[in-house]
Amino acid sequence: MMKERKMQNTMSQKKAREGLGAPELFQGGVFVTKNGVAELFVQPASERVAELAEREKERQANSLFKLVMMARQDIDTGDIMPPEKAIERLRADRK
């Protein structure tokens, strides 16, 4: 699931300082430059929260995929147990 990203803008430190009260200036992320060199990346908090949530979702999906692949490998190598024994072990672990 790749989201299309907007083209990031650049702005000087002075312009960034002046625009701190207007988060819409930083929509999509902005590189703040010093002497023409990008020094800082600024984005609205709402975008950062959404980005972190998406990253966590991807991490969980990758973990689930790894578990499925490990289970598949156990099945292929014959390292399995009957459902009754698995339930018995789960119940024993709860006590």
Side-chain angles (χ1 to χ4, degrees):
M1 271 193 270
M2 198 73 174
K3 287 203 295 190
E4 191 174 316
R5 295 196 80 160
K6 295 179 187 176
M7 181 71 154
Q8 280 105 9
N9 297 321
T10 60
M11 68 173 59
S12 68
Q13 286 182 351
K14 181 180 177 186
K15 186 175 177 186
R17 271 192 308 272
E18 292 169 354
L20 281 177
E24 63 275 359
L25 286 177
F26 302 98
Q27 211 66 23
V30 175
F31 286 99
V32 179
T33 62
K34 179 179 180 180
N35 298 326
V37 177
E39 295 282 324
L40 183 67
F41 184 76
V42 180
Q43 70 186 127
S46 60
E47 287 182 13
R48 180 65 177 162
V49 168
E51 182 180 301
L52 292 175
E54 181 67 24
R55 190 177 296 168
E56 178 64 14
K57 203 165 140 182
E58 287 176 14
R59 189 190 68 75
Q60 289 178 356
N62 286 336
S63 296
L64 183 58
F65 179 71
K66 286 179 185 178
L67 285 172
V68 168
M69 294 309 294
M70 289 169 62
R72 180 72 183 232
Q73 186 177 19
D74 286 347
I75 291 168
D76 290 346
T77 60
D79 190 14
I80 57 175
M81 74 173 64
E84 297 80 22
K85 181 156 175 112
I87 291 171
E88 183 181 305
R89 283 182 64 183
L90 286 171
R91 287 185 179 145
D93 288 345
R94 286 186 192 167
K95 294 178 182 178

